[in-house]
């Protein structure tokens, strides 16, 4: 029997600091009815479960819907672990920017200086900064089968080295002259992860711990290496294969690697972006790069660029937010916040189809609801 569970808790912030009170004045309290409606009715054909966490100086809300296991009908846990997918890119960007402020990387120098022999000899110089804002021109990862459920299931436990992954892209010509357009691609961030490891002499996972999770106390955030499992509690991830749901929770994440492999929770995502925006990870010399979108067009002609060096800029219901979405098979998630942290939104849903853009319809509903406010009285 189909079972739908919706829980919601509303908690309004008791006080605002003098600085954030003025900054948050444009936002009213989150709209609990709109948020609950955005995730209601689960599980359905496209999504098995969802969790949403809204915090900030304008107020708080949390809710879950659907099931974490279609067999047991156990409810979704608000503290559950999930794969954050491409939100990993924000962590990778922070590591590179930290190395820049330590004067161990020059963002204007070409990648070829730090990773000799990785990029093809006929590629032009690719400045390190262009890896972070998707203006490098590097082609996309080209692994046949990434959207074929049968291929995914057959290869789910395989290990890929970062070099193997980027080599699938680099057999193609560069897409455009670096710095002249923006094209979102995992290639740049897998390369950035290689750069971090080469410059520091430490693994990506070790850099994540030393530079981000330990300083911010993110005890439920980690890089899984080759471990395909998720710790408990965690909602199971499923793929629709010819009308049947197949559990794909266990999967090696070495293909996305530094572009999409991290595991976390909604609470830790909230703590991460809050600590980041408050300057706990980056100094004033490099912080502006998080909010500087290059003045170039999207390579596909869809409009102007909307990615900075690490973040994505969105305007929803008149509110500008910064953050990142992410997706893996069975998981779609994200973290967004206003710059003044008057509103912070973390979510995870469990879609049954991995679409090329990675974001199912329910995510658009969550985004719309989370950017709305109750009328001020």
């Amino acid at each position: 029997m189909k079972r739908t569970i919706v829980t919601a808790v509303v908690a309004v912030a008791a006080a605002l600091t003098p600085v954030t009170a003025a900054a948050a004045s444009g936002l009213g309290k989150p709209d609990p009815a709109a948020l609950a409606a955005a995730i209601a009715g689960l599980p359905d054909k496209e999504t098995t479960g969802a969790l949403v966490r809204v915090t900030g100086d304008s107020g708080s809300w949390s809710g879950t819907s659907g099931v974490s296991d279609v067999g047991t009908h156990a409810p979704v846990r608000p503290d559950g672990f999930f794969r954050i997918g491409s939100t990993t890119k924000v962590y990778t960007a922070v590591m590179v920017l930290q190395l820049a402020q330590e004067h161990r990387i020059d963002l204007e120098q070409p990648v070829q200086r730090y990773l000799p022999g990785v990029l093809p000899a006929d590629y032009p110089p690719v400045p390190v900064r262009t890896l972070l804002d998707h203006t490098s021109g590097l082609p996309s990862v080209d692994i046949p089968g990434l959207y074929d459920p049968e291929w995914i299931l057959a290869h789910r436990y395989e290990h890929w080295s970062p070099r193997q992954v980027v080599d699938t892209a680099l057999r193609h010509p560069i897409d455009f002259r670096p710095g002249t357009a923006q094209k979102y691609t995992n290639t740049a961030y897998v390369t950035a992860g290689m750069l971090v490891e080469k410059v520091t002499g430490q693994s990506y996972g070790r850099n994540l711990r030393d530079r981000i999770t330990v300083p911010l106390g993110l005890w439920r955030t980690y890089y899984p290496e080759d471990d395909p499992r998720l710790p408990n509690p965690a909602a199971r991830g499923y793929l629709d294969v010819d009308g049947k749901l197949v559990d794909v929770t266990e999967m090696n994440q070495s293909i996305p690697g530094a572009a999409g492999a991290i595991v976390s929770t909604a609470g830790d995502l909230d703590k991460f972006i809050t600590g980041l925006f408050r300057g706990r990870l980056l100094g004033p010399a490099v912080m502006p790069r998080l909010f500087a979108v290059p003045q170039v067009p999207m390579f596909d002609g869809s409009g102007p660029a909307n990615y900075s060096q690490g973040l994505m800029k969105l305007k929803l219901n008149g509110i500008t937010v910064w953050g990142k979405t992410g997706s893996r098979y069975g998981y779609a998630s994200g973290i967004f916040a206003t710059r003044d942290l008057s509103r912070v939104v973390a979510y995870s849903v469990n879609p049954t189809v991995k679409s090329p853009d990675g974001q199912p319809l329910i995510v658009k509903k969550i985004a719309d609801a989370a950017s709305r406010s109750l009328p001020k009285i």
Side-chain angles (χ1 to χ4, degrees):
M1 181 177 66
K2 179 177 179 178
R3 179 181 178 183
T4 300
I5 301 166
V6 178
T7 63
V9 178
V10 179
V12 179
L16 300 177
T17 65
V19 173
T20 56
S25 61
L27 278 171
K29 299 174 184 178
D31 187 335
L35 287 161
I39 59 174
L42 302 182
D44 61 22
K45 183 179 179 181
E46 298 177 349
T47 309
T48 57
L51 66 89
V52 178
R53 173 190 174 101
V54 180
T55 62
D57 296 322
S58 62
S60 303
W61 184 91
S62 66
T64 66
S65 179
V67 298
S68 64
D69 187 312
V70 297
T72 66
H73 303 289
V76 173
R77 290 271 297 268
D79 59 344
F81 290 90
F82 50 85
R83 305 194 187 283
I84 70 170
S86 286
T87 304
T88 299
K89 293 180 174 68
V90 187
Y91 299 73
T92 303
V94 167
M95 294 181 203
V96 174
L97 293 174
Q98 287 175 334
L99 290 170
Q101 69 185 7
E102 294 164 12
H103 305 292
R104 300 171 72 181
I105 287 178
D106 184 334
L107 296 172
E108 298 302 324
Q109 289 296 311
V111 174
Q112 291 93 329
R113 171 180 172 180
Y114 301 100
L115 295 173
V118 172
L119 302 187
D122 60 350
Y123 274 26
V126 178
V128 171
R129 63 176 169 77
T130 67
L131 297 178
L132 305 186
D133 63 13
H134 300 286
T135 62
S136 67
L138 297 182
S140 299
V141 171
D142 184 13
I143 301 176
L146 284 182
Y147 293 96
D148 177 0
E150 297 292 345
W151 188 93
I152 295 162
L153 294 173
H155 299 271
R156 63 193 295 186
Y157 295 110
E158 289 182 359
H159 168 81
W160 289 63
S161 71
R163 183 64 183 269
Q164 285 177 302
V165 175
V166 300
D167 279 352
T168 69
L170 302 181
R171 63 192 179 199
H172 300 291
I174 199 163
D175 284 335
F176 51 84
R177 184 165 58 86
T180 62
Q182 188 169 81
K183 177 187 175 184
Y184 185 86
T185 170
N186 278 3
T187 310
Y189 270 82
V190 176
T191 304
M194 295 171 65
L195 182 64
V196 168
E197 293 189 330
K198 179 68 177 293
V199 170
T200 64
Q202 302 286 348
S203 70
Y204 182 91
R206 177 65 180 271
N207 275 284
L208 177 66
R209 290 192 299 273
D210 292 350
R211 295 178 171 277
I212 299 175
T213 63
V214 171
L216 293 184
L218 308 181
W219 310 123
R220 295 162 69 80
T221 299
Y222 69 96
Y223 189 72
E225 306 293 348
D226 281 331
D227 188 347
R229 301 165 297 177
L230 281 180
N232 289 321
R236 311 297 294 180
Y238 300 92
L239 272 186
D240 186 326
V241 182
D242 297 327
K244 179 181 179 181
L245 291 185
V246 178
D247 191 322
V248 291
T249 306
E250 291 193 1
M251 184 174 293
N252 187 303
Q253 300 298 310
S254 58
I255 289 178
I262 289 176
V263 174
S264 191
T265 65
D268 264 18
L269 285 178
D270 186 317
K271 289 171 66 176
F272 169 65
I273 203 164
T274 299
L276 177 61
F277 283 19
R278 286 180 175 164
R280 294 185 59 192
L281 297 175
L282 299 173
V286 295
M287 272 290 286
R289 291 178 176 271
L290 291 177
F291 305 104
V293 176
Q295 300 300 303
V296 297
M298 295 298 291
F299 181 59
D300 63 3
S302 59
N306 59 356
Y307 291 97
S308 66
Q309 290 180 29
L311 299 174
M312 179 182 187
K313 181 181 181 181
L314 288 176
K315 193 164 187 177
L316 302 166
N317 295 316
I319 300 171
T320 298
V321 295
W322 298 82
K324 189 70 185 69
T325 60
S327 67
R328 295 304 301 143
Y329 304 105
Y331 300 89
S333 60
I335 178 71
F336 283 91
T338 55
R339 284 190 65 170
D340 60 19
L341 296 171
S342 56
R343 182 153 303 169
V344 180
V345 182
Y347 68 87
S348 175
V349 302
N350 302 107
T352 59
V353 176
K354 179 72 163 67
S355 60
D357 65 4
Q359 298 305 311
L361 177 60
I362 189 172
V363 169
K364 298 176 182 178
K365 293 180 179 179
I366 291 170
D368 178 70
S371 57
R372 295 184 179 279
S373 300
L374 291 174
K376 293 185 178 181
I377 298 174

